[in-house]
């Protein structure tokens, strides 16, 4: 009983550590199947002993905890800050007090509450008095710990934001135009409205603490409070201690950092606050502002006039979107020559003509935006053909918003299939760096890429590419190197890259191990199936044959073969291996092998199979704890399947 209790405690600790790492977006420290196996073991032990610890993962099933999306009052109202565009006003406010300068992040404010070291509640800011409970998303947002070493009552406020990089990528993949987001802030708040935590998690929302609202013990210095949060494991907003006197220089420096375009987190200003939080709390409340809580600095947008050269239309996953290309102008330190016009409705709203003068700003110092139009002559031409595939276009009017957007009518348009290209260049595929979705879409719209093989012919366009905005000779040289390197490819990665429905890495491995790439090629050419290969089956086999029968896939595949050198891999003759034809289940810790994956690889190399659960087909259950009362051992005993230790396995079947 004692050893069982110990084992339960050990399992709870291991499983919780693995979940924490997973939910905090760190590297996975335990593969899923192993987690499941340990979880099963724990459930069995708990049932048997009746000993269940409060923290046990069997008692809280991941995401489905608390949180209801209900409105709730804030314990400490979250008032907004007074704003100014004048540095002098900030200096006056600071007076002789030590102050802190930090970013005003552009996302959605969240308030987190911890008790006894556990995160117990997440509320959105809402109207400052009433927020929405989104505690159920706690595992889906990064930047804060689920558990902290501090045991008292702690309330922390911060901004949940999405980076510009993720924003661009996510927006490109949203197929319904009505659901696209105007900026990272809208995306962040739209995301936190979603009900599916997995969907939220995929969008990489990150929390950045900016105020420690409450702590049981006194801690007066704002700087110390932020440092304390950092020690507890929170992401904390960047900050700098300063004074009224040094403020203009500091603001200048921070502003330049934003203007350089190197900040990937969206910011829409700066905030100053007093280091003395007692003094800060002593202010009064006027309107919606607490007079001493802090002061926000917003940048004055610098609007510059320029002449429209033309409108460039480019096709992405779902829409053909307009970009204004104008005479290059200097705005806030950088040269700007393009600004997105979003859609046809925006062109009409602004009153853009065939010729006109545009008034352009950089929203949040980053995104060029056309805000007004003067001297418009004529109406701009809406293209009748898709710039990528030349199929006819059509204007779509949204039922919800009335927004007019332009679309390509060809379902096979290369631009619509850009997701396949991302799989093609991914790590498991051809492993080519430097070809993001955005980059590939630009190359498609420039007419450089129509099929996979065109990636290997990009060289012909490197001259033009190095002239394109955002590319230089160095990035083109890197791209070339990465593409050239990828020409030599392992057959499994190549098969994965082809995007054959139902054929992933695992199926690729099985095919290559059984018949080699030469065999794969031969069967494709002859129209033979693959169902005789262990683990492929009729459905996958049919999928491959059908895929190759499609004229476009077929010719694209042959084109690729001319560009690539597929590595030769020996066919594994497993029919005479020591485990040939036998099915094993491996459970518990292994000692001789590094882990169960390595063990499994040996069994497979000897023609055997490893499955997750004991059944009539199982030949042996390998468990170093031969006498264990686990459910697998019980099942094996019931079915009369021999339970052997790793040592016995090695004696009988070799290896290690
Ligand atoms: Zn098209």
């Amino acid at each position: 009983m004692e050893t069982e209790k110990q084992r339960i405690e050990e399992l709870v600790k291991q499983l919780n550590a693995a979940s924490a790492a997973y939910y905090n977006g760190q590297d996975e420290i335990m593969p899923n199947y192993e987690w499941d196996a340990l979880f099963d073991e724990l459930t069995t032990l708990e049932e048997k002993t009746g000993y269940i610890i409060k923290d046990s993962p069997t008692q809280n099933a991941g995401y489905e905890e608390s949180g209801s999306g209900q409105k709730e009052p804030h314990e400490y109202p979250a008032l907004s800050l007074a704003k100014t565009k004048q540095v002098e006003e900030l200096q006056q406010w600071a007076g002789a007090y030590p102050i802190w300068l930090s970013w005003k992040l552009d996302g959605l404010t969240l308030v987190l509450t911890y008790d006894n070291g556990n995160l117990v509640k997440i509320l959105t800011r809402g109207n400052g008095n009433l927020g929405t409970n989104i505690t159920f998303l706690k595992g889906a947002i990064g930047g804060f710990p689920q558990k902290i070493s501090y045991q008292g009552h702690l309330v922390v406020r911060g901004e949940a934001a999405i980076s510009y990089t993720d924003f661009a990528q996510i927006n490109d993949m949203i197929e319904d135009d009505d659901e696209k987001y105007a900026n990272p802030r809208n995306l962040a708040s739209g995301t936190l409205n979603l009900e599916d935590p997995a969907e939220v998690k995929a969008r990489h929302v990150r929390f950045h603490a900016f105020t420690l609202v409450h702590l049981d013990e006194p801690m007066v210095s704002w700087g110390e409070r932020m440092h304390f949060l950092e020690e507890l494991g929170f992401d904390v907003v960047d900050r700098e201690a300063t004074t009224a006197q040094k403020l203009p220089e500091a603001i200048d420096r921070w502003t330049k950092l934003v203007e350089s375009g190197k900040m990937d987190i969206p910011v829409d200003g700066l905030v100053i606050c007093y280091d003395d939080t007692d003094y800060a709390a002593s202010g009064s409340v006027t309107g919606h502002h607490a007079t001493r809580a802090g002061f926000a600095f917003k940048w004055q947008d610098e609007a510059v006039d320029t002449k429209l050269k033309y409108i460039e239309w480019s096709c992405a996953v779902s829409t053909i979107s307009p970009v204004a290309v104008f005479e290059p102008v200097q705005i806030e330190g950088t040269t700007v020559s393009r600004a997105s016009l979003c859609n046809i409705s925006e062109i009409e709203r602004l009153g853009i003509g065939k010729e006109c003068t545009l008034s352009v700003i950089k929203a949040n110092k980053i995104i060029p935006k056309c805000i007004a139009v003067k001297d418009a002559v004529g109406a701009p031409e809406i293209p009748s053909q898709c710039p990528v595939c030349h199929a006819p276009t059509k204007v779509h009017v949204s039922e919800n918003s009335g927004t007019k957007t332009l679309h390509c009518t060809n379902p096979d348009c290369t631009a619509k299939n850009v997701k396949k290209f991302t799989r093609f260049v991914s790590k498991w595929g051809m492993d080519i760096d430097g070809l993001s979705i955005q980059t590939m879409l630009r190359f498609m719209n420039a007419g450089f890429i129509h099929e996979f093989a065109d990636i290997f012919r990009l060289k012909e366009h490197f001259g033009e590419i190095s002239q394109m905005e955002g590319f230089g000779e160095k990035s083109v040289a890197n791209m070339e190197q990465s593409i050239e390197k990828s020409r030599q490819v392992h057959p499994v990665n190549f098969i994965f890259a082809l995007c054959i429905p139902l054929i992933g890495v695992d199926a690729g491995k099985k095919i290559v191990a059984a018949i080699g790439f030469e065999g794969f090629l031969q069967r494709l050419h002859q129209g033979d199936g693959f169902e005789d290969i262990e683990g492929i089956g009729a459905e996958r086999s049919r999928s491959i044959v059908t895929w190759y029968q499609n004229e476009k896939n077929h010719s694209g595949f042959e084109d690729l073969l001319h560009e690539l050198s597929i590595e030769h891999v020996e066919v594994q003759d497993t029919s005479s291996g020591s485990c040939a034809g036998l099915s094993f289940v491996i459970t518990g810790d292994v000692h001789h092998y590094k882990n169960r994956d390595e063990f499994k690889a040996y069994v497979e190399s000897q023609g055997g199979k490893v499955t997750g659960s004991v059944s009539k087909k199982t030949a042996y259950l390998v468990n170093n704890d031969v006498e264990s009362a686990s459910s697998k051992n019980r099942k094996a005993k019931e079915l009369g399947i021999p339970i052997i230790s790793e040592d016995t396995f090695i004696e009988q079947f070799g290896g290690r």
Side-chain angles (χ1 to χ4, degrees):
M1 184 76 181
E2 268 321 296
T3 52
E4 279 166 343
K5 277 188 175 176
Q6 262 174 24
R7 179 65 184 153
I8 287 178
E9 282 159 16
E10 199 181 291
L11 284 170
V12 168
K13 214 186 270 173
Q14 273 183 28
L15 289 166
N16 283 345
S19 307
Y22 177 75
Y23 288 128
N24 290 330
Q26 292 156 2
D27 284 345
E28 201 176 77
I29 58 179
M30 193 185 280
N32 268 335
Y33 76 85
E34 190 173 339
W35 200 93
D36 291 342
L38 294 183
F39 189 88
D40 284 348
E41 187 186 343
L42 178 63
T43 315
T44 314
L45 279 175
E46 284 177 346
E47 272 169 23
K48 189 177 161 217
T49 60
Y51 179 63
I52 298 169
I53 339 183
K54 200 176 89 216
D55 273 346
S56 170
T58 60
Q59 302 305 299
N60 49 42
Y63 286 136
E64 278 125 64
E65 276 180 59
S66 56
S68 48
Q70 292 297 308
K71 295 259 186 295
E72 268 184 45
H74 282 287
E75 184 182 0
Y76 302 93
L79 301 171
S80 59
L81 299 179
K83 294 180 185 67
T84 180
K85 291 185 174 181
Q86 310 302 326
V87 179
E88 303 79 55
E89 213 177 322
L90 297 175
Q91 287 179 288
Q92 243 167 45
W93 184 85
Y97 290 92
I99 53 168
W100 286 89
L101 177 68
S102 59
W103 296 120
K104 188 170 183 301
L105 299 176
D106 196 17
L108 187 75
T109 301
L110 299 181
V111 183
L112 276 48
T113 305
Y114 290 78
D115 278 310
N116 306 315
N118 292 309
L119 171 59
V120 293
K121 184 155 70 179
I122 305 178
L123 284 186
T124 64
R125 181 180 175 278
N127 65 6
N129 290 308
L130 213 58
T132 304
N133 188 323
I134 56 161
T135 314
F136 71 102
L137 292 178
K138 70 178 183 182
I141 306 168
F144 54 79
Q146 307 285 322
K147 281 179 186 294
I148 54 176
S149 54
Y150 178 72
Q151 296 297 309
H153 183 58
L154 182 142
V155 181
V156 55
R157 216 175 279 153
E159 199 79 352
I162 292 180
S163 71
Y164 282 111
T165 309
D166 285 326
F167 168 70
Q169 222 150 67
I170 293 162
N171 235 9
D172 269 350
M173 292 319 231
I174 295 175
E175 295 186 11
D176 185 344
D177 294 297
D178 278 349
E179 287 176 11
K180 282 193 195 278
Y181 295 91
N183 53 50
R185 183 192 346 108
N186 290 359
L187 177 60
S189 59
T191 299
L192 296 179
N193 258 326
L194 296 172
E195 276 167 15
D196 178 4
E199 223 180 306
V200 174
K201 193 171 166 62
R203 292 193 178 176
H204 305 163
V205 183
R206 231 180 149 74
F207 177 85
H208 308 262
F210 60 69
T211 306
L212 172 50
V213 184
H214 174 89
L215 174 79
D216 291 338
E217 289 74 20
M219 189 186 286
V220 175
S221 157
W222 186 86
E224 260 178 56
R225 291 168 83 91
M226 300 314 277
H227 181 68
F228 178 66
L229 285 176
E230 227 158 30
E231 303 260 278
L232 289 176
F234 290 88
D235 274 15
V236 175
V237 67
D238 286 345
R239 58 208 182 274
E240 174 177 330
T242 185
T243 60
Q245 200 198 349
K246 291 192 279 183
L247 195 57
E249 182 275 329
I251 288 186
D252 205 42
R253 194 156 28 80
W254 283 56
T255 302
K256 286 219 172 78
L257 196 62
V258 183
E259 286 174 351
S260 73
K262 284 182 191 133
M263 289 270 303
D264 203 22
I265 309 175
V267 296
D268 65 343
L270 299 166
V271 174
I272 60 165
C273 64
Y274 299 115
D275 185 59
D276 183 341
T277 55
D278 280 349
Y279 176 70
S282 68
S284 56
V285 176
T286 60
H288 287 295
H289 308 142
T291 53
R292 287 178 187 164
F295 216 133
F297 174 73
K298 303 283 267 185
W299 291 292
Q300 189 98 49
D301 288 324
E302 183 193 348
V304 178
D305 283 358
T306 177
K307 264 200 145 36
L308 174 72
K309 279 164 66 178
Y310 56 91
I311 296 176
E312 178 186 290
W313 295 83
S314 50
C315 190
V317 179
S318 65
T319 37
I320 304 176
S321 312
V323 171
V325 181
F326 41 81
E327 299 290 348
V329 280
Q330 285 281 317
I331 308 180
E332 291 162 353
T334 56
T335 307
V336 180
S337 59
R338 315 157 50 86
S340 168
L341 294 171
C342 303
N343 49 48
I344 299 175
S345 296
E346 181 70 359
I347 291 180
E348 292 173 352
R349 188 187 70 80
L350 285 165
I352 288 181
K354 207 178 174 96
E355 288 170 35
C356 61
T357 300
L358 305 173
S359 197
V360 182
I361 62 161
K362 278 205 305 203
N364 281 354
K365 307 241 139 216
I366 298 281
I367 302 177
K369 192 173 154 75
C370 177
I371 53 164
V373 170
K374 279 182 290 199
D375 314 325
V377 181
E381 217 173 287
I382 311 289
S384 57
Q385 282 189 356
C386 169
V388 173
C389 70
H390 307 294
T393 60
K394 84 165 193 274
V395 176
H396 170 79
V397 183
S398 157
E399 279 175 27
N400 296 332
S401 58
T403 306
K404 285 189 215 167
T405 46
L406 192 66
H407 298 258
C408 167
T409 52
N410 172 11
D412 290 327
C413 178
T414 315
K416 289 186 184 174
N417 292 311
V418 68
K419 284 181 197 176
K420 284 190 182 167
F421 284 77
T422 62
R423 170 163 166 170
F424 184 79
V425 302
S426 71
K427 277 262 168 292
W428 279 109
M430 302 301 295
D431 192 14
I432 306 176
D433 286 334
L435 288 178
S436 66
I437 297 177
Q438 283 83 17
T439 302
M440 284 191 285
L441 280 170
R442 285 178 74 182
F443 292 170
M444 287 171 184
N445 279 284
F448 303 158
I449 297 182
H450 297 283
E451 58 166 8
F452 291 150
D454 289 329
I455 291 174
F456 299 96
R457 302 177 197 127
L458 272 177
K459 215 180 193 163
E460 299 160 24
H461 307 286
F462 279 163
E464 277 168 89
I465 293 171
S466 60
Q467 300 300 311
M468 285 166 79
E469 201 177 288
F471 293 94
E473 276 172 23
K474 188 157 174 245
S475 61
V476 170
N478 288 342
M479 194 187 298
E480 174 172 21
Q481 204 185 12
S482 186
I483 292 172
E484 290 309 313
K485 203 180 78 198
S486 77
R487 284 184 196 264
Q488 173 125 11
V489 62
H490 190 281
V492 171
N493 300 109
F494 178 55
I495 292 174
F496 176 82
L498 292 170
C499 304
I500 305 171
L502 303 180
I503 305 302
V505 171
D506 211 45
K509 273 186 190 164
K510 286 179 173 138
I511 293 170
V512 171
I515 56 173
F517 187 70
E518 292 73 13
F520 176 69
L521 210 56
Q522 196 181 14
R523 290 197 190 187
L524 279 183
H525 289 159
Q526 294 172 353
D528 291 344
F530 298 83
E531 60 262 48
D532 59 314
I533 297 173
E534 173 79 51
I536 296 300
E539 201 185 353
R540 287 204 180 86
S541 169
R542 215 175 310 122
S543 174
I544 303 173
V545 174
T546 316
W547 173 85
Y548 191 72
Q549 278 165 353
N550 175 299
E551 176 52 35
K552 217 177 139 193
N553 293 338
H554 169 113
S555 67
F557 176 76
E558 299 299 328
D559 281 356
L560 271 175
L561 290 181
H562 290 300
E563 301 291 342
L564 304 177
S565 137
I566 318 275
E567 288 164 21
H568 178 72
V569 178
E570 287 298 330
V571 175
Q572 290 172 12
D573 178 14
T574 53
S575 60
S576 59
S578 62
C579 305
L582 297 176
S583 172
F584 295 80
V585 173
I586 304 170
T587 185
D589 290 335
V590 290
H591 308 312
H592 294 285
Y593 286 92
K594 231 185 286 154
N595 49 46
R596 279 186 259 168
D597 273 339
E598 197 189 76
F599 198 160
K600 181 173 179 230
Y602 173 75
V603 173
E604 285 172 351
S605 75
Q606 295 299 313
K609 212 163 81 174
V610 175
T611 62
S613 56
V614 176
S615 74
K616 273 185 285 184
K617 289 184 187 162
T618 309
Y620 293 92
L621 171 64
V622 184
N623 186 348
N624 280 319
D625 187 357
V626 176
E627 299 305 322
S628 131
S630 74
S631 54
K632 288 201 174 96
N633 275 32
R634 265 186 287 146
K635 186 90 184 275
K637 277 181 194 152
E638 265 171 47
L639 295 170
I641 291 162
I643 304 170
I644 59 173
S645 68
E646 216 180 339
D647 287 316
T648 316
F649 175 91
I650 291 167
E651 272 168 38
Q652 289 190 21
F653 302 100
R656 265 289 155 187

